[in-house]
Amino acid sequence: MRKKIVAGNWKMNKTLAEARALTAEVIQLAKAELSGQASLILCTPFLYLHEVNSLLVGTGIAVGAQNCSEHDSGAYTGEVSAIMIQSLNVPYVILGHSERRQYFLEGGALLAKKVDKVLAAGLTPIFCCGEPLEIREQGTHEALVKKQVEESLFHLGEDAIRRVVIAYEPVWAIGTGKTATSQQAQDMHAVIRQHLAGKYGKPTAETISILYGGSVKPDNAKELFAMPDVDGGLVGGASLKARDFIEIAKGI
Ligand code: PGA
């Protein structure tokens, strides 16, 4: 069976004290109310990875980074490499989030390099794809998402692709309160899975977790996660409140 995952993407939010408090609350609620149906991941700013990871020891909850460099080390001021992330025992790295694509001009070829670095460090990439509103309105969203997956993942061999988690996040649904319907999510997830099956074969495609992201909330999570190709969620705004995050995880 595919792994069910609920990952929180804190983005650029929280001070250290707030990060500690949020982590403590997530731990306490998860322990009291969840029974391990989903793997929980907290993707924090780089600065807090070490601290949050220490707090999470023994809880079964994992920590993740939100980006990494395409280089291993060297004169790249302000950058953080996959090897550095690995040295903190952080197992996950979000790559290709639409905000990175939009504000930091990250494209498919660059993301392919980052995917390689994350895998080479033994970590799991959570690779994001998704279309902006105008592409959805033009009706070319499936072609665009297939291209995003091809450009950054299709150079991988079969063993490597099995280690990737994909997150489909329609840009028009991120932080807007406008969620894709569960059918819209399912349709795109099925397209992604079929595309993976075309390249790697159905048995391999069936092992890859595909998360939905974009205004996942406690009141829509259950319906989204009930879809056959939706294996969990990547949660932004609602992951900043422990109660909401845990209610979402209960939807698995
Ligand atoms: P949102 O963000 O849940 O606030 O829409 C999701 C994301 O950007 O990963």
Side-chain angles (χ1 to χ4, degrees), residues 9 11 97 99 169 173-176 213-217 234-238:
N9 175 9
K11 308 192 181 183
H97 190 281
E99 289 149 17
E169 300 203 303
I174 294 178
T176 57
S215 299
V216 178
K217 299 277 183 296
L234 181 55
V235 184

Side-chain angles (χ1 to χ4, degrees), residues 5-14 22 40-46 62 64-67 93-100 126 128 167 169 174-175 211-214 216 233-241 245 248:
I5 297 170
V6 176
N9 175 9
W10 290 4
K11 308 192 181 183
M12 195 177 73
N13 289 295
K14 305 287 179 190
L22 175 56
L40 297 189
I41 306 171
L42 305 180
C43 298
T44 79
F46 286 130
Q66 300 172 11
N67 176 37
V93 183
I94 296 174
L95 290 177
H97 190 281
S98 63
E99 289 149 17
R100 303 283 329 165
I126 302 175
C128 302
E169 300 203 303
I174 294 178
L211 315 182
Y212 168 79
V216 178
L234 181 55
V235 184
S239 74
L240 299 173
K241 290 195 185 124
F245 187 60
I248 288 168

Side-chain angles (χ1 to χ4, degrees), residues 144-247:
L144 178 83
V145 169
K146 277 161 59 176
K147 184 162 163 273
Q148 289 174 333
V149 169
E150 269 165 42
E151 282 174 344
S152 305
L153 299 180
F154 272 20
H155 64 289
L156 298 175
E158 204 175 310
D159 288 347
I161 195 79
R162 282 173 179 257
R163 294 172 46 209
V164 174
V165 172
I166 295 178
Y168 167 58
E169 300 203 303
V171 179
W172 45 271
I174 294 178
T176 57
K178 217 178 177 189
T179 322
T181 64
S182 49
Q183 194 57 53
Q184 283 172 322
Q186 167 57 27
D187 289 349
M188 186 63 90
H189 285 223
V191 164
I192 295 169
R193 201 177 304 286
Q194 275 158 23
H195 202 42
L196 292 166
K199 168 85 178 163
Y200 297 100
K202 195 160 186 257
T204 292
E206 288 295 328
T207 65
I208 297 172
S209 297
I210 306 179
L211 315 182
Y212 168 79
S215 299
V216 178
K217 299 277 183 296
D219 63 1
N220 59 28
K222 203 176 172 64
E223 193 186 328
L224 285 160
F225 299 164
M227 302 313 278
D229 286 294
V230 178
D231 305 309
L234 181 55
V235 184
S239 74
L240 299 173
K241 290 195 185 124
R243 170 49 69 198
D244 286 359
F245 187 60
I246 295 298
E247 290 305 320

